[in-house]
Amino acid sequence: MAGEAEGQGLSFHPMDQFAVKPLFGDALNLTTVTNVTLWMAIAVLCIFVLFVLGTARRAVVPGRMQSVAELAYGFVHKMVEEVSGHDGLRYFPYIFTLFCFIVFSNFLGLIPGALTLTSHIAVTGVMAVLVFLSVTIIGFVKNGTQFLGLFWVSSAPLALRPILAVIELISYFVRPVSHSVRLAGNMMAGHAVIKVFAAFAPLILMSGIGIAVTPLSILAITAMYALELLVAFIQAYVFTILTCVYLKDALHPGH
Amino acid sequence: MSNTTTALSTATDAAQGQVTEAAGHAAAGTPGMPQLDFATFPNQIFWLVVALVVIYVILSRVALPRIGGILADRQGRITGDLEMAEKLKAKAAEAEAAYNQALVDARAEAAKIVAATRADIQADLDKAVAKADAEIGARAAESARRIEEIRAGAVTAVAEVARDTAKAIVAALGGTADEKAVAAAVADRMKG
């Protein structure tokens, strides 16, 4: 299919949108200002505007921005309290930081031409490893060796317990992988698909079949974009709630 | 750096071959995807850590305490208002109870007054009835006495008439009427 399309002059570069490029010059080292820096700065700016400027009036009857800020606060606060328990609220600022960063990255990534930060495994991986390490340390600090009870399923028959322990141990160490790949994969896939459809759109300028293909591809872009809006929020939600679940396991290791 | 760009172009070439499975998982194995360009990792991670720290500082130092304060303030105000409403409601219930009590008292008072009045009237009535009875009794006795007098008068008159008549009859028959004998006979007859 791609070859046929290329024969007609279509160009498919669905992954180009994810490229990390220095904004000034060519060299890339640790602190080079890149498009990653730019979009992270925009995300930070948006968070600042929404949560600091939006709530500056401290109105008892909130305006639009303050409503959204309060809604986000209440949403994550309730999630942490319900999933991790009341003592999980100590870690609410950290979880809220992750949620805000992911949700803003996801939505900003939907702006045409933007870089989707959360489609990068480096970004989601660091966050997942951060969660994994913090949760493991919290688990051992709070519960000592009792934290290992998480892997010893005391409700199962004794003969099965060693086998289950191995399975639990493996699934525990797979957590950061699934945690990060789920988010990055979802964000990357949707954006790549949109880009593929977009590559079909100019077909009308090149060939007769474009009369049918171009409207279809535009329709598909629109539909995918709507789906991506949903996915952008859902994946932020999933990442956050999984963090809460892991935190619950660390605070209350019993099954 | 030119390595990176060539890696990028090979990545896009590879991706072109599998547009139908552009979903990341399938393509994740192919080298050269921007996501797997490890040369950019330190830079991305550096900026990610900076961004997360800045966001954390903004949120935990300023935004979250403020929003928490706003929500607590609102909750407090709502609780206060509800308490006030509860208090006012209790007051209203109290007032209603007092009103009902007053109503009950007034009813009892009215019933008492009605009963007293009724007793008074009953007493007056009884007195009047007794008085009337006494009068009626007296009048009846008077009438009975006069009837008795009249009856006594009538008997005397009848006896006189009978004696005169008897005397006249005796005289007509040519006898001399013995005054005493006639009177005795008349009295004897009248007794029978």
Side-chain angles (χ1 to χ4, degrees):
Chain A
M1 189 165 88
E4 184 193 12
E6 235 169 357
Q8 294 167 345
L10 289 185
S11 57
F12 286 88
H13 302 291
M15 307 308 275
D16 274 8
Q17 56 175 322
F18 303 120
V20 176
K21 286 169 283 193
L23 289 185
F24 315 103
D26 251 354
L28 181 76
N29 54 42
L30 185 65
T31 56
T32 309
V33 175
T34 61
N35 48 353
V36 171
T37 320
L38 173 69
W39 286 101
M40 280 183 183
I42 294 175
V44 169
L45 192 71
C46 288
I47 289 170
F48 180 80
V49 168
L50 177 62
F51 289 103
V52 176
L53 301 187
T55 60
R57 286 176 47 225
R58 300 166 197 259
V60 173
V61 178
R64 274 183 219 168
M65 283 242 270
Q66 195 184 319
S67 285
V68 173
E70 284 175 12
L71 215 62
Y73 179 99
F75 178 71
V76 179
H77 196 270
K78 201 171 145 219
M79 197 193 316
V80 175
E81 191 168 26
E82 279 178 3
V83 178
S84 310
H86 196 73
D87 41 356
L89 284 180
R90 264 189 65 188
Y91 309 100
F92 168 64
Y94 301 98
I95 295 173
F96 196 63
T97 300
L98 285 181
F99 175 78
C100 288
F101 176 74
I102 295 169
V103 101
F104 274 96
S105 301
N106 289 357
F107 279 114
L108 287 172
L110 282 172
I111 297 172
L115 172 74
T116 314
L117 301 167
T118 37
S119 71
H120 276 276
I121 196 76
V123 170
T124 61
V126 166
M127 291 192 293
V129 168
L130 273 179
V131 169
F132 178 77
L133 289 181
S134 336
V135 157
T136 309
I137 291 167
I138 290 169
F140 277 112
V141 168
K142 291 263 171 187
N143 304 291
T145 50
Q146 273 192 324
F147 180 57
L148 294 172
L150 187 64
F151 308 109
W152 197 249
V153 188
S154 50
S155 58
L158 191 61
L160 275 179
R161 281 183 212 171
I163 304 166
L164 284 176
V166 173
I167 295 173
E168 290 281 336
L169 204 65
I170 293 171
S171 78
Y172 188 81
F173 282 99
V174 167
R175 275 177 179 182
V177 178
S178 63
H179 204 187
S180 56
V181 168
R182 181 182 300 108
L183 177 57
N186 267 291
M187 297 322 294
M188 182 173 71
H191 288 67
V193 168
I194 288 180
K195 207 65 188 242
V196 170
F197 282 128
F200 276 112
L203 200 61
I204 195 162
L205 303 174
M206 302 165 197
S207 142
I209 199 168
I211 292 168
V213 173
T214 298
L216 265 180
S217 63
I218 290 172
L219 197 72
I221 292 168
T222 314
M224 276 307 296
Y225 195 89
L227 183 69
E228 281 305 290
L229 282 174
L230 195 69
V231 168
F233 178 75
I234 287 176
Q235 287 306 318
Y237 172 70
V238 166
F239 193 97
T240 317
I241 204 162
L242 280 174
T243 305
C244 293
V245 169
Y246 299 159
L247 183 61
K248 188 214 83 180
D249 281 347
L251 295 172
H252 316 280
H255 275 272
Chain B
M1 191 51 222
S2 57
N3 271 355
T4 327
T5 40
T6 48
L8 281 181
S9 57
T10 52
T12 47
D13 289 338
Q16 278 172 20
Q18 27 182 295
V19 274
T20 46
E21 43 176 16
H25 294 297
T30 57
M33 270 171 56
Q35 277 86 352
L36 296 180
D37 183 359
F38 295 106
T40 65
F41 273 32
N43 181 270
Q44 286 193 59
I45 292 169
F46 169 76
W47 287 114
L48 171 68
V49 171
V50 170
L52 286 180
V53 168
V54 172
I55 294 172
Y56 175 75
V57 169
I58 290 174
L59 289 178
S60 68
R61 293 271 172 272
V62 186
L64 294 183
R66 188 187 285 171
I67 298 175
I70 292 169
L71 292 179
D73 188 36
R74 184 175 310 146
Q75 195 55 46
R77 203 176 263 220
I78 289 170
T79 315
D81 284 0
L82 283 179
E83 255 166 32
M84 180 62 93
E86 200 61 41
K87 223 179 265 175
L88 289 177
K89 203 176 156 193
K91 233 179 219 176
E94 217 168 82
E96 201 194 338
Y99 167 77
N100 280 337
Q101 188 56 47
L103 208 63
V104 166
D105 284 357
R107 281 222 179 96
E109 189 66 23
K112 222 184 271 173
I113 290 170
V114 166
T117 313
R118 188 174 284 156
D120 274 4
I121 291 171
Q122 192 63 46
D124 283 359
L125 200 63
D126 285 354
K127 220 185 273 170
V129 165
K131 202 171 157 196
D133 277 358
E135 209 163 293
I136 289 165
R139 281 202 190 155
E142 174 74 11
S143 307
R145 197 180 50 76
R146 277 170 56 189
I147 290 167
E148 205 54 44
E149 265 176 27
I150 291 165
R151 187 181 281 159
V155 168
T156 322
V158 165
E160 206 165 306
V161 169
R163 264 190 316 259
D164 287 353
T165 311
K167 242 187 268 173
I169 290 169
V170 168
L173 289 173
T176 15
D178 184 13
E179 195 90 16
K180 270 183 189 164
V182 170
V186 167
D188 195 38
R189 287 301 277 199
M190 279 188 65
K191 246 183 239 169

